[in-house]
Amino acid sequence: MIRCFALSLFALATLAFGSAMPALAQEDAIKIGVIGLDTSHSPAFARAMNERAVEAGKRPVRVVAAYPYGSSQIESSASRIPKFTEDFKAMGIEIVDSIDALLAKVDGVLLETNDGTLRKEQFAKILAAKKPVFADKPAAATWEDTLWIYRQAEAAGLPIFSASSLRYQPTAEDLSPDTVGEIVGADSYSPCSMEPHHSRLYWYGIHGVETLFTIMGPGCESVSCTATDGTDLAVGRWAGDRIGTFRGIRKGKADYGGTIYGTKAIRTLGKYPGYAPLVVAIEDFFRTGKSPVSNQETLEIYAFMEAARLSAERGGAPVSIAELFAIDVAK
C-alpha cells in the first residue's frame, strides 16, 4: 500500500482552521527556531504550530525565534525577507541577529533558507549545537552537499528530517493491500521550474520525485532522463524490475499528481492537501527525535534527481544510483 501517514480529522481541522482549545503555556512547549525567512513556508509553518490546538497527551511545539537570512543571490527569495520578518514580529516571535544566538534559545530548528547553497554552512552550526533539524526542501543545492549533511548527521546521531509536503498527497481511493495488491510501478508529475544555483530537479522537481518515492519506497537502482526545454522525463528502475517515472513540467498546464499501478488495481492520487499533514509530521519529529522518513530514502530521492541530471547531460544514458553513493564527501 502507499506509504503515508493517516491523520485524524481533529488534527487536520485544528491545523487548518486554528486552535479550538487553549494552548498550553509557552514554557511547556518544545521551542523551535527558524533559519531563513525567505520562503512562504516559514510564516505558514510558524503560524500553524503556534495557533493550532494540540492533541491530548502531546507536548506543544512552538516557534519562539527566527534568524531572517536567508537567500542573497536569489532575488525572488531575498525580496521576501523584510515582509516575512514583520510577519514574525506580528506573531510575537523574537528576531535574532545570528544563527548562534538562535541556537542558544531553542530545542530544535526549522532550516528554511530557500537558497540551498547556504545549507551546508548553516547545517554545520546546527550540528555543532546538537539541535534536531527539519531541513525544508531542498536539503541542499547539490548532491555532494546533501550527502555530506546526512553523513555528518548520521555520524553524530543527530535527528534530521526532510520532506516535501507532497509526500502526504492522498489517494483518490482506498489503497489497502486487499484493494491494490502489490505496487509494481508508479508515475508522478509536478511543476519543475529550475534555478541556476541548484541541481536540475532540486529546486522544484523534488515535489513530484518525493511523491514517486512515497509510493515506490527506496530501492531505485538506476535512472535515465530525457530532457527538453519544457519537460524532464526521468525513468527509474527499482529492485524487483519495478519502474517508476517522474514528469517535470515547465511548459503547459502544471499540476501535481500521479498514478499507482498494483497487481489488483490502478489508482490515481487525490488533490494536494496543503501544508497541514507535513506540519503535523514535523511536530511529531521534534517530540520523538525520530524522522518519519529514513535517511536512506531521503538520500535516494536526491540521488534520483542527480542521476536524472547526469543522464540528461549524457544523452539519456542510464546512471547508477550506486555511482553517486560512492562519491567521497568526507571533508
Side-chain angles (χ1 to χ4, degrees):
M1 60 185 294
I2 190 169
R3 303 160 61 256
C4 62
F5 296 88
L7 295 172
S8 70
L9 292 176
F10 173 84
L12 283 172
T14 55
L15 185 53
F17 302 114
S19 178
M21 301 173 2
L24 296 182
Q26 186 69 42
E27 58 268 21
D28 295 328
I30 298 170
K31 301 179 183 66
I32 303 301
V34 178
I35 298 175
L37 302 186
D38 55 352
T39 167
S40 60
H41 290 191
S42 297
F45 290 2
R47 187 171 291 108
M49 288 180 179
N50 289 7
E51 290 183 356
R52 83 181 190 93
V54 179
E55 293 180 76
K58 288 189 175 182
R59 189 179 176 190
V61 178
R62 301 283 183 257
V63 174
V64 300
Y67 173 67
Y69 308 98
S71 303
S72 60
Q73 60 187 349
I74 303 173
E75 176 57 28
S76 61
S77 296
S79 62
R80 296 176 166 188
I81 293 174
K83 180 184 184 306
F84 290 157
T85 299
E86 292 305 312
D87 289 345
F88 267 67
K89 290 179 179 178
M91 287 187 276
I93 297 170
E94 181 181 2
I95 302 298
V96 299
D97 60 5
S98 71
I99 291 177
D100 289 339
L102 178 118
L103 293 171
K105 296 175 178 290
V106 301
D107 305 309
V109 175
L110 292 175
L111 182 52
E112 296 293 328
T113 300
N114 220 17
D115 184 350
T117 65
L118 302 175
R119 290 294 187 90
K120 182 177 179 180
E121 177 184 354
Q122 293 176 332
F123 174 78
K125 294 185 177 183
I126 297 168
L127 180 70
K130 300 180 180 179
K131 305 293 183 178
V133 56
F134 171 77
D136 208 343
K137 66 86 189 165
T142 67
W143 165 246
E144 289 80 5
D145 280 2
T146 304
L147 185 59
W148 182 87
I149 286 170
Y150 269 81
R151 290 289 182 257
Q152 293 295 315
E154 289 171 349
L158 183 76
I160 182 171
F161 170 31
S162 183
S164 159
S165 56
L166 269 294
R167 174 167 287 275
Y168 301 95
Q169 188 169 0
T171 54
E173 300 180 63
D174 176 49
L175 280 179
S176 67
D178 289 342
T179 301
V180 178
E182 179 185 354
I183 293 173
V184 297
D187 302 325
S188 70
Y189 58 85
S190 77
C192 191
S193 59
M194 295 188 293
E195 200 285 322
H197 301 93
H198 293 72
S199 184
R200 188 175 185 92
L201 301 183
Y202 282 26
W203 183 249
Y204 225 83
I206 185 173
H207 291 305
V209 176
E210 182 106 35
T211 299
L212 181 63
F213 271 79
T214 304
I215 299 166
M216 297 289 289
C220 184
E221 298 174 340
S222 65
V223 181
S224 59
C225 181
T226 299
T228 67
D229 288 343
T231 306
D232 281 15
L233 182 62
V235 180
R237 182 165 184 157
W238 264 254
D241 291 330
R242 299 186 302 147
I243 299 294
T245 71
F246 164 67
R247 185 179 186 90
I249 304 168
R250 287 185 293 277
K251 184 178 181 179
K253 171 64 176 176
D255 206 342
Y256 305 93
T259 303
I260 301 165
Y261 302 97
T263 53
K264 295 182 179 180
I266 297 174
R267 294 289 183 262
T268 58
L269 295 178
K271 185 178 179 181
Y272 171 57
Y275 300 142
L278 174 60
V279 172
V280 172
I282 293 170
E283 291 178 339
D284 284 340
F285 162 72
F286 284 122
R287 292 185 184 106
T288 65
K290 296 180 180 179
S291 172
V293 185
S294 72
N295 289 354
Q296 178 63 27
E297 181 169 340
T298 298
L299 283 173
E300 280 195 30
I301 289 170
Y302 284 88
F304 179 102
M305 294 188 288
E306 179 68 359
R309 180 187 71 81
L310 292 171
S311 175
E313 292 179 355
R314 298 172 186 177
V319 174
S320 167
I321 296 297
E323 172 187 335
L324 297 176
F325 277 95
I327 294 173
D328 184 5
V329 293
K331 295 182 180 180

